[in-house]
Amino acid sequence: MSYDPRKKPRHLILVLGDQLNSDSSAFDGFNAADDAVWMAEIPEESIYVWSHKARITLFLSAMRHFRDALRRKGMTVHYSQLDGPENRETFSLALKAAIASLNPQRLILAEPGEWRVKQALVEAAKTKGLPIEMRSDRHFFSTGQTFSEYAGERKQLRMEFFYRKMRRKTGILMDGDGPLGGKWNYDAENRQPFGKEGPGRVSPPRSFRPDKTTREVKKLVEKRFSGHPGSLAHFDWPVTPRQASQALSDFVENRLPAFGLYQDAMWAGSPYLFHSRLSSSLNLKLIDPRKVLAAAERAHEEGRAPLNAAEGFVRQILGWREYVRGIYWHFMPEYGDLNRLDAQAPLPRFYWTGETDMLCLRETIGQTLSYGYAHHIQRLMVTGLFALLLGVKPQEVHKWYLAVYVDAVEWVELPNTLGMSQFADGGIMASKPYVATGKYIQRMSNYCTACPYDPSQAVSKAACPFTTLYWDFLMRHQTFLRKNPRMGLQFRNLDRLSRERQQAIRAQAKGLQEKMS
């Protein structure tokens, strides 16, 4: 028996743009004769941060493909398109209109990934006097409740110990009660630069040619969001579970073996290197993390990937991904307002254009605008590091990251930005600020070879702004940071600089800050 669209649905299943998994808990007990699905393309979601065209396109295309897949299964899907006459500007308005039109008995959804969206949906249901049931999102290995219980037992919430707990819980890369190979992580082996010869030949990620649905979305985005940042010229992201699975197979076969050694390395003109390009598929739930981790573990078992590579990849998903989600839900909504270093500078304009003579920033931002992508070290130790050293207000940095990357959803992006990158939480996530001079970038990339600035200099016309601002950062925040035991060496090096040298650095840093304000 099929569903009669004129009938009042028993349950209206709400599916958000980052919940595109058909095995979601929201579908438990779904009866095609009595229940219906609601999905909506909300204009506010593309404009509340100035979203990259590729990010908008990816979400909308993946949503439309998921809608069509549900309909092929015989499900009734009430779908509001961005360019449709029934469209509403916000989640709250859209859901209220759907409730008024469809008159369901109950709303059901998996827990949203963003605090703001969750509150909007709850408010809409409450206004209409309708019960709303939020189910645990079993896409993840842990729940918000289990993380809060874990957090309540500890004074510090370091990812490494949470990661070990997750390894024990899942049995992934374990040998009995201990880690496979005798070590929990292989960070010491996984931070290698390429050297002067560069990465050599790297197999490019599997590319997915836009189909009719994606082409229609691209056309819509170019028209409606013409003033938004970024380009769609290179858009070839996975937009279906099948494509995400193909992307996984391609990564494991062609790039996972070298991923461990070179996951922190950077090279001009090479946006993807040995990275998986799976984060957007994971965050939209086009692919299950269990499938991803099983593929990496199997590659190691079969001798197709060394342990350091498999472990480094597993740590990103089973460690960092689960950990930051726990941090987000445990500390929100207050977490989003944290600014422990009292950083107040505006985000430099070149973050939206890439127009700067600092080659590392020009390369990373230019790549971001072209592809909607940069790997974790480009984000942490190039764009993030510069904003931290300059003293940019962390909420502005957060909005930029959320806007420009195709894989950006707030539960993963916000803690990584405010906590890991900008140290705005004062040490909840990271044990110390991730700060370094330009020499770090010089060691891990070839960006400095054609740059007009010298990473070894802090005071001169040729001084690298990263190096100048690094020393200035230590001087600005020494009252707070000197007591951090992990920063002892950095402050001992600062103390070796004469008073005159320190004053000269402060003066040059002030000039940089004024220039970029």
Side-chain angles (χ1 to χ4, degrees):
M1 180 179 178
S2 62
Y3 173 81
D4 182 352
R6 296 168 298 180
K7 177 177 124 179
K8 174 182 177 180
R10 179 186 63 157
H11 296 154
L12 188 63
I13 311 303
L14 313 185
V15 175
L16 307 179
D18 61 346
Q19 298 180 334
L20 308 182
N21 51 325
S22 59
D23 62 349
S24 166
S25 60
F27 293 110
D28 289 353
F30 186 90
N31 186 324
D34 298 319
D35 304 326
V37 176
W38 177 79
M39 299 177 70
E41 299 172 3
I42 306 298
E44 181 186 42
E45 297 309 293
S46 298
I47 61 177
Y48 87 99
V49 292
W50 197 34
S51 293
H52 194 299
K53 292 175 184 175
R55 180 174 185 259
I56 303 171
T57 299
L58 176 63
F59 272 79
L60 298 188
S61 177
M63 288 174 67
R64 293 185 184 191
H65 280 92
F66 188 67
R67 170 202 63 192
D68 295 344
L70 294 181
R71 286 175 174 169
R72 286 194 294 270
K73 293 181 178 180
M75 295 183 178
T76 296
V77 183
H78 299 281
Y79 193 95
S80 174
Q81 291 199 172
L82 198 67
D83 51 349
E86 76 286 1
N87 193 267
R88 299 293 188 275
E89 289 295 317
T90 69
F91 265 119
S92 181
L93 291 174
L95 184 55
K96 288 175 183 177
I99 293 169
S101 172
L102 302 172
N103 196 24
Q105 297 175 26
R106 175 182 294 270
L107 304 176
I108 297 175
L109 75 159
E111 186 174 32
E114 185 170 345
W115 179 274
R116 175 186 60 89
V117 172
K118 181 178 180 179
Q119 301 312 304
L121 297 177
V122 169
E123 182 272 334
K126 183 178 180 181
T127 299
K128 290 294 185 178
L130 196 64
I132 182 168
E133 179 184 340
M134 289 198 182
R135 297 175 176 174
S136 178
D137 192 342
R138 60 174 173 240
H139 169 86
F140 298 95
F141 290 89
S142 63
T143 66
Q145 180 179 346
T146 57
F147 185 88
S148 290
E149 291 170 357
Y150 170 85
E153 300 170 355
R154 287 160 177 80
K155 293 181 179 180
Q156 292 184 328
L157 294 176
R158 297 293 170 251
M159 191 282 292
E160 176 65 25
F161 300 106
F162 178 75
Y163 170 53
R164 295 179 186 183
K165 179 181 176 69
M166 296 303 293
R167 289 268 296 274
R168 291 188 179 101
K169 175 182 177 181
T170 61
I172 294 173
L173 294 182
M174 293 293 289
D175 182 9
D177 294 332
L180 191 66
K183 292 195 295 184
W184 286 106
N185 80 59
Y186 289 81
D187 251 0
E189 298 176 26
N190 287 351
R191 293 172 174 170
Q192 302 301 311
F194 292 124
K196 293 182 180 179
E197 67 279 4
R201 185 186 179 280
V202 181
S203 177
R206 175 77 180 265
S207 178
F208 300 95
R209 189 174 182 179
D211 63 5
K212 181 181 178 182
T213 298
T214 301
R215 292 196 300 270
E216 289 174 353
V217 170
K218 287 177 65 178
K219 185 177 180 180
L220 171 64
V221 170
E222 290 283 22
K223 180 179 179 181
R224 180 149 184 171
F225 303 104
S226 59
H228 279 235
S231 168
L232 290 177
H234 302 288
F235 188 92
D236 64 347
W237 294 94
V239 293
T240 67
R242 181 172 181 269
Q243 290 179 346
S245 182
Q246 291 171 339
L248 170 63
S249 297
D250 170 70
F251 166 67
V252 171
E253 181 68 23
N254 296 306
R255 294 183 305 286
L256 175 60
F259 170 79
L261 285 177
Y262 301 118
Q263 63 178 295
D264 286 6
M266 301 171 281
W267 201 259
S270 301
Y272 302 119
L273 294 168
F274 295 101
H275 292 265
S276 72
R277 216 173 75 137
L278 288 169
S279 54
S280 64
S281 294
L282 282 163
N283 292 349
L284 270 63
K285 303 189 179 74
L286 299 177
I287 195 167
D288 192 291
R290 293 158 188 82
K291 179 177 181 177
V292 175
L293 296 180
E297 188 173 37
R298 186 166 56 251
H300 172 65
E301 291 172 351
E302 296 173 356
R304 293 182 287 119
L307 182 56
N308 69 300
E311 187 280 319
F313 184 63
V314 165
R315 182 160 17 103
Q316 287 193 343
I317 297 172
L318 187 60
W320 271 114
R321 191 167 184 265
E322 296 286 325
Y323 171 75
V324 297
R325 180 172 179 264
I327 291 288
Y328 180 84
W329 286 108
H330 185 66
F331 289 102
M332 282 295 282
E334 294 82 7
Y335 194 89
D337 296 323
L338 295 178
N339 188 357
R340 181 61 180 82
L341 299 180
D342 193 29
Q344 300 295 336
L347 187 74
R349 174 64 185 165
F350 65 71
Y351 271 71
W352 296 106
T353 66
E355 296 172 356
T356 173
D357 57 0
M358 290 175 278
L359 196 144
C360 60
L361 284 162
R362 186 168 77 237
E363 178 74 19
T364 300
I365 295 170
Q367 169 191 310
T368 295
L369 295 174
S370 292
Y371 299 95
Y373 175 84
H375 71 65
H376 65 283
I377 292 299
Q378 291 175 307
R379 300 189 201 193
L380 177 65
M381 298 304 293
V382 180
T383 51
L385 174 60
F386 191 78
L388 173 61
L389 297 178
L390 188 64
V392 176
K393 187 173 182 178
Q395 284 69 31
E396 287 204 30
V397 185
H398 151 59
K399 289 178 182 177
W400 183 78
Y401 278 106
L402 188 60
V404 299
Y405 290 114
V406 296
D407 59 3
V409 288
E410 191 177 84
W411 65 262
V412 65
E413 177 277 325
L414 179 64
N416 269 314
T417 300
L418 262 66
M420 184 73 171
S421 173
Q422 301 303 296
F423 204 68
D425 65 7
I428 292 174
M429 275 189 68
S431 57
K432 71 180 185 68
Y434 277 81
V435 290
T437 69
K439 288 184 177 181
Y440 173 84
I441 296 170
Q442 184 180 45
R443 182 170 69 255
M444 298 305 299
S445 75
N446 68 336
Y447 295 156
C448 300
T449 56
C451 184
Y453 298 108
D454 182 352
S456 68
Q457 296 188 40
V459 181
S460 73
K461 285 187 178 180
C464 175
F466 280 85
T467 301
T468 304
L469 291 170
Y470 165 81
W471 294 114
D472 182 67
F473 176 89
L474 294 181
M475 287 184 267
R476 292 200 317 268
H477 299 295
Q478 58 184 312
T479 301
F480 173 44
L481 295 177
R482 271 189 183 273
K483 57 189 176 185
N484 187 316
R486 293 198 63 202
M487 298 196 70
L489 177 61
Q490 289 169 294
F491 280 105
R492 285 194 294 274
N493 289 334
L494 174 65
D495 292 340
R496 292 190 182 100
L497 301 181
S498 67
R499 180 181 296 273
E500 292 74 21
R501 181 71 171 171
Q502 291 189 24
Q503 289 175 343
I505 290 172
R506 293 300 303 270
Q508 182 137 346
K510 183 178 180 181
L512 287 169
Q513 291 160 343
E514 291 174 349
K515 179 182 177 182
M516 296 178 190
S517 64

